[in-house]
């Protein structure tokens, strides 16, 4: 991208915001310009996705919460999808023992690596939310989740200044593929109040990701990694899986799955 391209797209964005009557801050515009100039963007996001991300963020939904429902709205059964029982001997052993020996590792570009047991996570301040899960396959289900806001974990681990993404490593190898499921969020999505590491869905069955799974309520279902084993802070996805930021992203799904 040459200099005049950058100027033109910057001006276009500002016009768009003025027309939309959005009160986006100068800070956000600066942030968008930085983002669009960075090296990794063309690789990670296709152009439609980039537009979606920029439009959503620019119009203020970087802080908007997903709709929350009432107990009366909760679906009788929370449908399970993808892996429903990880085919992994390490996981099976942990499950057989009620996850007493399971630990979540938090590492990568952090100042303080962590190892957290389920009991430690359950002792932390928790958030409960009744939200709608939307799968890209075209079904939705409403459930009540309780878990630790991811931002509390990040505050404990203290990401290094160059950290950009939070990568979620899971226990389940995918069908016909020995690679485990993984997903990622950028730091903006990671610190949303509704982005939680959930351990309770009336409680949390194995089929739905026990002992711990991600809920990122403004995103499509495939972003919400189940069977969490490790959270890694990174500045690039290049060396993880096929380099696109998630198991389904490596099969050409969009990385930014905002709804
Ligand atoms: N580890 C892991 N996480 C995963 C999946 C998976 O197969 N393995 N499937 C994803 C998809 S496509 C959806 S729709 C949701 C399904 O969550 P549920 O089983 O609680 O409905 O989990 C997501 N997270
Ligand atoms: Mo899904």
């Amino acid at each position: 991208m040459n200099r005049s391209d950058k100027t033109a797209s910057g001006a276009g964005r500002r016009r768009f915001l003025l027309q939309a009557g959005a009160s986006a801050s100068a800070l956000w515009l600066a942030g968008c310009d930085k983002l669009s100039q960075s090296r990794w963007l063309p690789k990670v996001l296709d152009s439609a996705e980039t537009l979606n991300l920029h439009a959503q963020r620019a119009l203020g939904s970087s802080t908007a919460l997903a709709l929350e429902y009432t107990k009366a709205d909760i679906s009788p059964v929370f449908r399970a999808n993808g892996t429903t029982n990880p085919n992994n001997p390490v996981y099976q052993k942990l499950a057989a023992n009620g996850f007493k020996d399971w630990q979540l590792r938090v590492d990568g570009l952090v100042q303080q690596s962590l190892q957290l047991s389920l009991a430690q996570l359950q002792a932390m301040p928790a958030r409960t939310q009744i939200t709608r899960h939307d799968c890209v396959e075209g079904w939705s289900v409403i459930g009540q989740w309780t878990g630790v806001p991811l931002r509390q974990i990040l505050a404990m681990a203290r990401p290094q200044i160059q950290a950009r993404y939070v990568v979620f490593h899971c226990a389940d190898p995918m069908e016909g593929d020995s690679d485990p499921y993984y997903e990622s969020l950028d730091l903006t999505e990671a610190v949303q109040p509704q982005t939680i590491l959930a351990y309770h869905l009336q409680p949390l069955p194995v089929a739905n990701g026990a002992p711990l799974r991600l809920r990122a309520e403004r995103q499509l279902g495939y972003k919400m990694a189940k069977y969490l084993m490790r959270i890694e802070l990174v500045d690039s996805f290049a060396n993880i899986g096929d380099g696109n930021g998630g198991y389904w992203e490596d099969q050409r799904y969009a990385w930014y799955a905002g709804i």
Side-chain angles (χ1 to χ4, degrees):
M1 197 185 259
N2 65 36
R3 206 164 221 293
S4 57
D5 283 340
K6 270 185 233 157
T7 313
S9 67
R13 219 171 359 252
R14 274 181 285 275
R15 255 199 315 279
F16 168 66
L17 286 168
L18 283 174
Q19 279 160 9
S23 60
S25 69
L27 196 67
W28 254 115
L29 291 171
C32 282
D33 283 343
K34 246 205 194 104
L35 192 68
S36 61
Q37 285 165 30
S38 65
R39 227 169 356 97
W40 54 265
L41 194 67
K43 227 187 118 194
V44 177
L45 308 176
D46 67 30
S47 56
E49 206 184 339
T50 307
L51 267 180
N52 184 14
L53 185 153
H54 282 194
Q56 284 209 1
R57 293 272 166 87
L59 290 170
S61 66
S62 70
T63 54
L65 297 183
L67 189 61
E68 294 195 13
Y69 295 78
T70 68
K71 282 201 191 297
D73 301 315
I74 295 174
S75 308
V77 176
F78 197 98
R79 178 172 167 177
N81 198 43
T83 303
T84 53
N85 194 7
N87 181 17
N88 169 352
V90 174
Y91 176 89
Q92 289 298 336
K93 209 166 153 223
L94 291 166
N97 192 25
F99 298 108
K100 285 191 187 68
D101 303 319
W102 171 92
Q103 286 196 317
L104 178 72
R105 209 152 36 104
V106 182
D107 60 12
L109 298 176
V110 294
Q111 295 179 52
Q112 178 66 62
S113 299
L114 308 170
Q115 297 257 31
L116 298 166
S117 69
L118 196 53
Q120 283 173 313
L121 287 161
Q122 287 171 343
M124 291 174 65
R127 188 179 206 278
T128 294
Q129 56 202 27
I130 302 175
T131 49
R132 197 187 65 209
H133 175 107
D134 298 318
C135 176
V136 73
E137 291 165 2
W139 51 270
S140 299
V141 65
I142 294 175
Q144 174 175 300
W145 299 93
T146 299
V148 184
L150 179 58
R151 66 172 163 194
Q152 289 188 61
I153 306 288
L154 294 178
M156 286 166 72
R158 290 182 283 128
Q160 293 174 21
I161 202 80
Q162 69 270 35
R164 284 170 175 264
Y165 307 104
V166 185
V167 179
F168 304 90
H169 296 280
C170 308
D172 53 321
M174 296 304 283
E175 200 81 40
D177 191 337
S178 57
D179 291 339
Y181 199 90
Y182 76 103
E183 256 303 338
S184 58
L185 298 175
D186 62 19
L187 285 172
T188 301
E189 202 63 36
V191 300
Q192 282 299 309
Q194 289 169 318
T195 299
I196 66 173
L197 300 177
Y199 48 76
H200 199 267
L201 167 76
Q202 314 132 22
L204 183 57
V206 164
N208 300 103
L212 196 71
R213 68 94 52 87
L214 176 70
R215 297 296 311 166
E217 304 297 353
R218 315 183 320 155
Q219 300 281 313
L220 286 170
Y222 65 87
K223 298 299 290 185
M224 308 202 205
K226 309 196 282 188
Y227 316 112
L228 293 179
M229 300 298 281
R230 177 181 174 216
I231 292 177
E232 181 189 12
L233 279 283
V234 300
D235 60 358
S236 152
F237 309 134
N239 299 316
I240 303 172
D242 292 338
N244 301 299
Y247 176 82
W248 285 111
E249 287 84 334
D250 286 338
Q251 336 287 319
R252 313 249 41 96
Y253 278 44
W255 174 77
Y256 183 72
I259 45 177

